[in-house]
Amino acid sequence: MAKKRKSTEEELRELHRYTRSLIEASPDMMVTFDRDSLIMDVNQETVDMTGVSREKLIGSPFKQYFTDPETAHQAAMLVFEQEKVKDLELELELIDHKGDHIPVALNASVYRDAAGKVVGAFAIIRDISKRKKAIEEVQRQQGEILELSTPALRVWEGVVLVPLIGTIDTRRAQQVMENLLERIVSTESEVAILDIAGVPTMDTKVAQHLVITAQAAAMLGAKTIITGVSPSSAQTMTKLGLDLSRLTCKGSLSAGIREALDMLSLKVVESNGE
Amino acid sequence: MIVPILKIGKNLIISIQIPLTDQQARQFQREVLEEVARTEAFGIIIDITAMDVVDSYMARILSETAIDVQLMGARAVIVGIRPEVAVTLVQMGRGLGDVATALNLEQGLAKLEKMDARKGAGHGS
C-alpha cells in the first residue's frame, strides 16, 4: 500500500490536515478561548459570520462579538467552572458582519493537555435564529389560539357568556378567568354564564378554577352560573368534594340564560301573535 | 380622618385613594364605625377602585369593617375591586366572606337600594 511508504512525519501532517479540515468545514462556529476568555483559535465559519479576519479574532476577547458582552463573559466563565455546558440558559446574541444580531446557542467544554491540565475552553456556537423564529411563531399562534378559544360574549345587558370548548388546562383556565373578569368590568355585567358543555373531561384543577373564577367574579359583584354540566362532570365535581354551594349550576345553556334573566328580574314573554 | 367619609342621603361613601399601612387601616376601621354610629347611616359603600394591591391584612380589615357595620344595623357594600385583586384574594384563599360586593359605585348604590327595599324600613334609624 502507498500509505506504508509515507514517512511518519508525512502521515502526521496528513492527519493534522484531516482534523483541521473537519474543524474548518464545520457549519457551526468553533472557538477556543483561555481562562481570560481571549480567543485562541477559530474556524472558517466564525470568520465568515463575524466578518472579522482570523488574525484579528485570535487574541481578542471572546465577549466583544456579542450584543451583551457581560452575559457572554459570564457564559465563558461558566464553562471553566462547570467544565461542560450544554444548551446554556443564557441568551446570547452574536453581532454578525452586517451588524445584525444573531441569536446563538452555546455548547462548550474545557479541553486538556496530555498531563490532564485544563488548557482552554472549546465552544461550538450555533446560529439558532431560524429555530428561534419558529418558536416565536408557535408562541404567537398559541396566544392567538388561546385568545380565540376563550371568547367572552355579552348576550344581554348585564350578562356575559363564556362558552368553554375543548380540554381546559391550567393555563387556559387562567386565561378564561382573566377574560371573564375583564369582560365583567368592561360590560358592567351582573351575571356571568360559564358554559362547560364542550369540555370533555373535568378534573380537580378545572373544577377548582371554576370555583375560583366564581369567587373572583362575586367580588366584582357578579353572580356566576355554570351551565352544561354533564352527568360525568357532575359526578366528578361531587366526588372531589368541592364546595359548590356558591355556584349556581344549570343543565343547559337555555336554562342558564333563563336563570340569568331571572336574576336581573327580567322575563321573556310570548307575544301572542301580532 | 385618614380617609374622607362622605355622607350622601342616608348612605356613607368611603373611597380609599391611597395604600394604607396596617396601623392606618385600623384607624380607618375605627373611624368608619364611629361615623356610622354618629350619622346613623343606613348603609356604607367602601370604594377601593384606586387600590392596586390589597394584602391579606387589608382584606381582613375590609371584611371585618363590613361585618361590624352590619352588626350595628347598617349595610355595607365593597365596590371597585379590580379583577387582578379579586384573583389574588381568592387564590390566597382569602375571600371577603359573605360581604356584599359590586362592580362600581353606581351598582353599589343600587345594591344598597335593593337591600333597603327588601329589608323594609327597620334599618337606618
Side-chain angles (χ1 to χ4, degrees):
Chain A
M1 271 172 86
K3 210 174 178 186
K4 268 199 178 152
R5 259 173 263 135
K6 278 183 189 166
S7 69
T8 327
E9 198 188 328
E10 218 171 299
E11 233 174 84
L12 269 176
R13 206 176 296 145
E14 190 147 299
L15 187 66
H16 176 76
R17 205 178 298 128
Y18 170 68
T19 42
R20 188 70 212 178
S21 73
L22 289 188
I23 291 170
E24 291 301 337
S26 160
D28 283 337
M29 288 168 268
M30 289 181 174
V31 176
T32 59
F33 51 83
D34 63 12
R35 278 190 189 276
D36 299 321
S37 85
L38 293 176
I39 294 173
M40 297 194 290
D41 195 7
V42 295
N43 69 347
Q44 189 55 41
E45 181 61 18
T46 316
V47 175
D48 292 346
M49 276 300 281
T50 57
V52 179
S53 72
R54 199 174 286 253
E55 294 70 36
K56 271 194 186 150
L57 276 169
I58 293 171
S60 67
F62 173 70
K63 63 179 180 185
Q64 83 174 50
Y65 303 98
F66 294 90
T67 52
D68 182 2
E70 269 320 299
T71 316
H73 186 72
Q74 206 182 324
M77 290 302 102
L78 214 63
V79 180
F80 286 103
E81 215 173 275
Q82 302 187 348
E83 304 217 323
K84 191 180 218 173
V85 292
K86 256 183 167 179
D87 293 325
L88 208 60
E89 291 282 311
L90 296 172
E91 281 198 15
L92 293 173
E93 272 186 345
L94 193 83
I95 304 167
D96 79 353
H97 57 99
K98 284 182 284 186
D100 289 343
H101 298 171
I102 311 288
V104 291
L106 181 84
N107 280 355
S109 63
V110 292
Y111 65 97
R112 299 161 196 277
D113 61 11
K117 196 172 153 279
V118 173
V119 184
F122 170 57
I124 296 176
I125 303 162
R126 175 168 285 181
D127 175 357
I128 55 164
S129 47
K130 268 193 189 142
R131 199 198 307 171
K132 207 162 175 197
K133 229 176 240 169
I135 291 171
E136 274 167 11
E137 178 75 359
V138 168
Q139 279 170 343
R140 194 185 58 75
Q141 283 177 347
Q142 260 176 353
E144 228 159 71
I145 291 170
L146 217 53
E147 200 70 37
L148 287 172
S149 63
T150 53
L153 316 160
R154 183 167 178 253
V155 287
W156 199 268
E157 272 164 55
V159 184
V160 281
L161 165 66
V162 178
L164 297 182
I165 293 156
T167 319
I168 310 259
D169 53 14
T170 311
R171 197 167 146 223
R172 220 181 130 202
Q174 185 77 23
Q175 173 97 4
V176 168
M177 174 156 69
E178 280 168 16
N179 253 9
L180 179 65
L181 297 180
E182 244 165 60
R183 285 294 282 176
I184 288 175
V185 174
S186 66
T187 60
E188 300 199 354
S189 294
E190 287 171 63
V191 183
I193 303 176
L194 267 170
D195 184 53
I196 57 167
V199 180
T201 48
M202 184 66 143
D203 62 13
T204 335
K205 273 189 185 152
V206 178
Q208 245 157 9
H209 262 286
L210 288 181
V211 175
I212 288 176
T213 307
Q215 283 177 340
M219 280 197 207
L220 303 184
K223 290 183 191 121
T224 307
I225 304 169
I226 311 256
T227 65
V229 182
S230 67
S232 66
S233 294
Q235 278 178 314
T236 321
M237 282 160 87
T238 40
K239 264 187 211 145
L240 293 171
L242 288 169
D243 175 22
L244 301 172
S245 56
R246 277 162 199 269
L247 293 181
T248 310
C249 291
K250 290 285 158 200
S252 65
L253 182 56
S254 63
I257 290 176
R258 194 179 292 269
E259 177 75 22
L261 295 177
D262 208 40
M263 283 173 177
L264 296 171
S265 314
L266 294 170
K267 214 158 124 193
V268 180
V269 289
E270 225 171 293
S271 65
N272 280 328
E274 295 307 310
Chain B
M1 244 183 261
I2 195 105
V3 172
I5 301 174
L6 313 172
K7 187 164 192 292
I8 297 181
K10 53 198 165 95
N11 297 322
L12 296 182
I13 295 179
I14 303 135
S15 178
I16 305 176
Q17 298 289 344
I18 45 157
L20 301 178
T21 63
D22 288 2
Q23 200 193 339
Q24 287 173 325
R26 281 194 299 277
Q27 192 188 337
F28 154 81
Q29 184 178 16
R30 204 170 47 239
E31 284 174 3
V32 169
L33 297 178
E34 276 165 12
E35 199 66 8
V36 170
R38 195 179 69 78
T39 59
E40 298 186 352
F42 162 77
I44 70 160
I45 289 183
I46 302 175
D47 177 21
I48 59 164
T49 312
M51 296 187 91
D52 297 332
V53 179
V54 175
D55 61 15
S56 56
Y57 190 79
M58 193 63 212
R60 208 176 81 201
I61 291 284
L62 287 173
S63 58
E64 264 180 25
T65 308
I67 293 163
D68 293 346
V69 165
Q70 280 164 18
L71 286 174
M72 292 169 71
R75 303 271 158 258
V77 180
I78 296 176
V79 305
I81 301 172
R82 290 166 177 250
E84 56 273 25
V85 171
V87 172
T88 320
L89 285 178
V90 174
Q91 280 172 345
M92 280 196 299
R94 258 230 76 99
L96 290 172
D98 288 323
V99 176
T101 50
L103 189 63
N104 49 31
L105 198 55
E106 196 183 344
Q107 291 192 1
L109 277 169
K111 210 161 199 172
L112 275 184
E113 235 16 67
K114 254 190 224 166
M115 287 173 175
D116 196 6
R118 215 177 325 136
K119 305 281 174 184
H123 295 286
S125 62

